Structures are given as structure tokens and as C-alpha cells.
């Protein structure tokens, strides 16, 4: 049997029968758009993270776009983003007509480097742009450094958005991701820690007025009734069927987070003598959207893993600033050497809550075999 990178079938077995029942209930009442399950889910998610409001939408990219629209971000505005993330983080800024400024990330956490952010804010001024927002990303499931990012944002009048597409359920100094910043967005894409069976997303916000604007924007900018339009919005709603599915998945989610954390711990115990394993700040928890090692010998690792039937992936092979579609966007002075190095050395391993010990041992045996043959990885520190 091939080893899956993410095993959605194993998860499906955990909730067998309950998913069918939940979907049947939607068929029975017939409210496929913004039906009762959507409202139930929004309440459950808001409670889960401890935010006042949750506004669901069609996907995690739209969640970001809704926030930019709600804040009127556009031409002449700069939005600071990390260089090492999924493209959606910068894509929405360009779509809004604003300018993303790429900042570097930390070599240990892979998340936005506050020092680099500070440089980016100053740089925006020299470009004649108004720095209005920072979108921090909780890469691979670990929250960014929000204490420092929030302080810098406060000092410079920036709105802080946490792109938590990979970190829903993680904690930061005891608080759950979702109410650490002005806005938090997440994605329910099937491969994310909390995924549905299609596309889905959400925005978390404590400001009730902003939540009202977000709800309007996701339904064509509607006002008091369906055919009154007070904003220029678009169509971005979470299907009722996906909400019904997420309600069932949310029930097993806390247990799944623990399973992911145990698996990550086992990986680190076995692999750390041979590879640069993920660093986790002691005040944070990760939901391990990915388990990512660094190696100077990546091509060899990929080749040997492939031969042994172990699926691996590179998140991400090209920093955003080097993407053809984004080459005309500004980067901070000094560039982003850490992002560039990570793109060259990162390697993500199979990670999901149902990865059993035997399969994991098989994976780590392969990797340790390669690691033992190459001695320079940990010694020289792929991190440098
Ligand atoms: C997945 C992801 C998104 C986009 O989510 P979609 O639901 O696929 O639109 C945005 N940002 C990050 C960091 C992601 O990993």
C-alpha cells in the first residue's frame, strides 16, 4: 500500500456515518446557501478560538481578500508580507491594486521576521506608499511572533492580519490563534489541519461593525435586504453542505491536534541527530500543517524517498519575490536571504493525525539511512 502524504481516508473512517447524516440533514431542509449549519459553524468556530465574530466564506484566499476590501486597501497602499509563503498572501494585495512589500523570515521559525518588517515599513515611505497593513503567516502551523508584530504595527498605525490558513487550532502564549490580531483568516481546503470536502474559509474579528461589513461583502455588498447593495462586494459564501461537514470534523479536531503533535515529537526525536528539524518556540503550540526538515542534500533525499515509496514535498520551492508574476513588486533593502535559502533546503514529510508508528518508523528509517551517510547536514547547520 502506498504511503499517503495526507491520509483523508483514515480520517473519513473516524467519522463514517456522521458525515452522511449531516449532509442528509442539509438535503432535507434545502437551505444550501447560508443555511442553519453555516450559522451554527460560525458560532462554534468563534467559540473555539475565543473571537467575538466568525464570518465564513468560499476559501482562504477570499478570506484575505474580504479583509482587504473591508479596510479599503488599494492603490498607493503598501502591505507588508513575508517572502516565504503560499502565493495567496501576496496575490490578494495585487488584486486589491495595492503594493506588496516582501520581507524576510526568521531562519528558525520560517515566520515573518519583525526586524525585517520594521525595515519594510520604513522602505514603504521612501517609495511614496502608505504602509497600512501587515499580513503575517503562521507557516506550517506555528504562530508568527505576534507580540513584536503587534507592537510594531501599533507604533506605525498598521492593521495586523494573521494568515492562519495553516495554523487553525494552534496557540500563542496560551491564547488560541484567531484573536491575537485585528483579523485572522483561515482556510478549510481539504489538506489544511481543519479541512472540509471542497473549498472553504473564514475570517475572525472582534469588531462587530467590521464583521457586518465582511458579511455584506461576501454577499454582493448587500444592505438591509438582498437587492439593496451598500458596498461593492462579490460572491464568497461557504456552502451549507461544507459547513455541515466541518461541524462533524470540528468534533474530532482537538484529538487530531494532539495526534499531530505526538507525531511531530516522534519525528524530531528520531531525525534530529541527522537533520535540521523544526524549531518550536516554547510559548507556542503548532498544529503541524507540515513537518518540514532542512537539508543541504535535498535532491538525494527526494530521490531515495521516492524509490522507497515515501512521498515528500517542497513547500515552497520559489520565494514569492522570485515568482515571474511578482517580479515587479518591491522587496526590502538587503533582500530576503533566509527565504532564498529555505526555498533551497526545506523538505516536508508525510504528516496527518493517523500516521501510525510503524509507517512513521519506515519513513524515518529511510531518512536516517541517508542522514547517516551524509555528515555535514547538522554540523554545518542548514539553517545558517
Ligand atoms: C492554503 C493557504 C491559503 C489559501 O487558502 P485557499 O482556501 O486555498 O484559498 C492562504 N494562505 C496560506 C498560507 C495557505 O497555506
Amino acid at each position: 500500500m502506498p504511503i499517503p502524504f495526507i491520509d483523508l481516508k483514515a480520517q473519513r473512517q473516524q467519522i463514517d456515518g456522521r458525515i452522511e447524516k449531516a449532509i442528509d440533514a442539509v438535503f432535507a431542509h434545502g437551505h444550501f446557501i447560508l443555511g442553519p449549519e453555516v450559522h451554527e459553524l460560525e458560532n462554534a468556530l468563534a467559540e473555539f478560538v475565543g473571537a467575538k465574530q466568525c464570518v465564513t466564506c468560499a476559501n482562504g484566499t477570499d478570506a484575505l481578500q474580504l479583509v482587504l476590501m473591508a479596510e479599503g486597501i488599494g492603490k498607493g497602499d503598501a502591505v507588508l508580507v513575508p517572502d516565504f509563503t503560499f502565493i495567496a498572501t501576496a496575490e490578494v494585495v495585487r488584486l486589491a491594486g495595492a503594493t506588496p512589500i516582501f520581507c524576510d523570515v526568521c531562519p528558525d521559525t520560517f515566520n515573518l521576521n519583525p526586524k525585517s518588517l520594521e525595515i519594510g515599513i520604513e522602505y514603504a515611505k521612501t517609495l511614496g506608499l502608505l504602509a497600512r497593513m501587515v499580513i503575517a503567516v503562521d507557516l506550517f502551523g506555528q504562530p508568527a511572533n505576534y507580540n513584536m508584530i503587534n507592537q510594531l504595527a501599533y507604533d506605525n498605525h498598521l492593521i495586523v492580519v494573521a494568515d492562519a490558513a495553516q495554523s487553525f487550532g494552534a496557540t500563542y502564549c496560551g491564547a488560541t490563534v484567531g484573536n491575537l490580531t485585528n483579523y485572522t483568516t483561515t482556510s478549510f481546503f481539504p489538506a489544511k489541519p481543519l479541512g472540509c470536502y471542497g473549498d472553504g474559509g473564514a475570517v475572525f474579528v472582534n469588531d462587530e461593525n467590521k464583521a457586518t461589513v465582511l458579511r455584506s461583502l461576501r454577499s454582493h455588498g448587500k444592505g438591509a435586504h438582498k437587492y439593496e447593495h451598500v458596498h461593492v462586494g462579490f460572491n464568497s459564501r461557504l456552502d451549507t453542505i461544507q459547513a455541515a461537514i466541518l461541524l462533524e470534523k470540528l468534533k474530532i479536531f482537538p484529538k487530531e491536534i494532539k495526534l499531530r503533535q505526538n507525531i511531530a515529537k516522534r519525528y524530531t526525536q528520531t531525525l534530529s541527530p541527522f537533520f535540521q528539524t523544526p524549531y518550536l518556540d516554547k510559548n507556542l503550540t503548532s498544529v503541524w500543517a507540515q513537518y518540514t526538515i532542512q537539508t543541504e542534500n535535498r535532491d538525494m533525499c527526494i530521490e531515495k524517498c521516492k524509490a522507497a515509496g515515501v512521498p515528500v514535498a517542497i513547500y515552497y520551492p520559489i520565494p514569492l519575490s522570485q515568482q515571474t508574476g511578482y517580479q515587479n513588486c518591491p522587496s526590502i533593502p538587503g533582500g530576503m536571504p533566509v527565504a532564498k535559502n529555505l526555498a533551497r533546503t526545506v523538505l516536508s514529510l508525510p504528516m496527518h493525525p493517523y500516521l501510525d508508528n510503524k509507517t512513521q518508523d519506515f519513513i524515518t528509517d529511510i531518512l536516517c539511512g541517508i542522514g547517516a551517510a551524509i555528515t555535514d547536514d547538522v554540523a554545518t547547520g542548514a539553517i545558517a
Side-chain angles (χ1 to χ4, degrees), residues 59-61 64 85-86 88-89 137 163 165-166 187 189 192 200 316:
N59 56 67
T61 308
L64 288 166
T85 172
F86 181 58
T89 314
V137 178
D163 179 348
Q166 302 182 11
S187 163
F189 182 81
K192 308 284 179 178
Y316 296 90

